[in-house]
Amino acid sequence: MMDNSPGSHARPACTNGEDDIAAALSTSGVDQPRIERAVREILAAVGEDPDREGLRETPARVARMYAELFSGLHDDPRQHLRKFFTEKYDEVVLVKNISFNSMCEHHMLPFMGEAHIGYLPAGKVIGLSKLARVVELVARRPQVQERMTESIADLLVDELEAKGVAVVIEATHTCMTIRGIRKPGSLCVTSAMRGVFRSHLSSRSEIMNLIYGDRR
Ligand SMILES: [Zn+2]
């Protein structure tokens, strides 16, 4: 008799479902066996046979993939911003073209693009790689681009107490390119301005020039 229960192909030696769940939860915070069951159900619902050879490993594969794509739900981006150092640098710090992949929460389809983050420090400066790490963590959860942009800006304001923060995100949404209105090549741009970049037009144009300058 073949055991077709979800997870049986990934870990054939383990037959105890509860141990499976506990192990998955403790390693990633994501209940992978539950995803496996759901994916089997979706395959059956669209009229496929989840047990045919090509699909047999799919639920386990998708579960591992979701654990990776949504790992940001189980990691606090603030902890990376708390590793700042004190520096008497009071000019703009800008990191451009931080690439990311995220998952549109409306369609569970990926959107991907680049984030540009600029801030005007007030004594607290962060390692440049930490900015990329924060983008990564905020991206790896069910997301909408507008909220992603604002939450990165707010995190920087909260943790660095910067005089100004500017976050611009440009992304392509596969929910717009492969389905629905099907507009390949369309780019969605969002921005969040805080502090001086919000209140002072000259500061805002300066940061926007730094972000877009070389493209004009
Ligand atoms: Zn969408």
Side-chain angles (χ1 to χ4, degrees):
M1 244 341 232
M2 234 182 103
D3 175 9
N4 287 328
S5 67
S8 60
H9 307 291
R11 278 180 294 264
C14 179
T15 50
N16 185 325
E18 279 177 10
D19 278 0
D20 248 354
I21 292 169
L25 279 173
S26 64
T27 51
S28 69
V30 171
D31 186 344
Q32 295 191 33
R34 193 169 183 178
I35 297 173
E36 290 182 33
R37 291 194 295 275
V39 171
R40 264 187 75 84
E41 197 55 33
I42 290 171
L43 287 169
V46 298
E48 258 292 2
D49 169 14
D51 293 318
R52 82 173 161 80
E53 201 185 344
L55 291 177
R56 241 180 268 155
E57 300 289 334
T58 300
R61 218 180 273 123
V62 174
R64 286 194 297 275
M65 180 184 72
Y66 278 179
E68 183 184 340
L69 294 180
F70 297 132
S71 57
L73 282 171
H74 308 282
D75 198 344
D76 182 4
R78 285 176 196 276
Q79 75 191 35
H80 301 278
L81 289 170
R82 281 178 188 152
K83 291 168 188 152
F84 59 83
F85 44 95
T86 314
E87 189 71 56
K88 263 183 77 81
Y89 179 80
D90 58 359
E91 301 292 332
V92 167
V93 179
L94 174 66
V95 180
K96 297 208 283 189
N97 308 103
I98 304 169
S99 61
F100 71 90
N101 305 293
S102 189
M103 199 73 135
C104 144
E105 69 182 24
H106 299 141
H107 300 93
M108 296 273 280
L109 281 172
F111 66 98
M112 59 282 278
E114 292 183 335
H116 317 290
I117 302 179
Y119 70 101
L120 190 58
K124 290 181 182 174
V125 176
I126 191 87
L128 299 179
S129 66
K130 297 283 186 282
L131 292 176
R133 189 84 188 116
V134 167
V135 171
E136 174 92 1
L137 289 183
V138 173
R140 290 191 173 258
R141 55 186 70 185
Q143 211 30 299
V144 293
Q145 187 178 330
E146 294 86 338
R147 189 176 67 228
M148 183 179 161
T149 312
E150 300 227 290
S151 55
I152 293 170
D154 291 336
L155 278 166
L156 287 170
V157 170
D158 288 356
E159 297 299 327
L160 297 183
E161 294 153 357
K163 286 180 217 155
V165 173
V167 179
V168 175
I169 294 182
E170 303 173 287
T172 311
H173 290 248
T174 54
C175 64
M176 280 181 68
T177 57
I178 67 167
R179 56 155 295 286
I181 59 167
R182 290 195 196 147
K183 295 291 173 216
S186 60
L187 196 63
C188 181
V189 183
T190 47
S191 72
M193 301 288 153
R194 301 288 185 269
V196 290
F197 297 129
R198 190 180 186 94
S199 56
H200 288 73
L201 194 59
S202 58
S203 306
R204 186 192 300 218
S205 11
E206 190 190 329
I207 192 84
M208 289 312 257
N209 273 332
L210 286 170
I211 290 172
Y212 287 113
D214 55 358
R215 288 194 220 166
R216 284 188 184 130

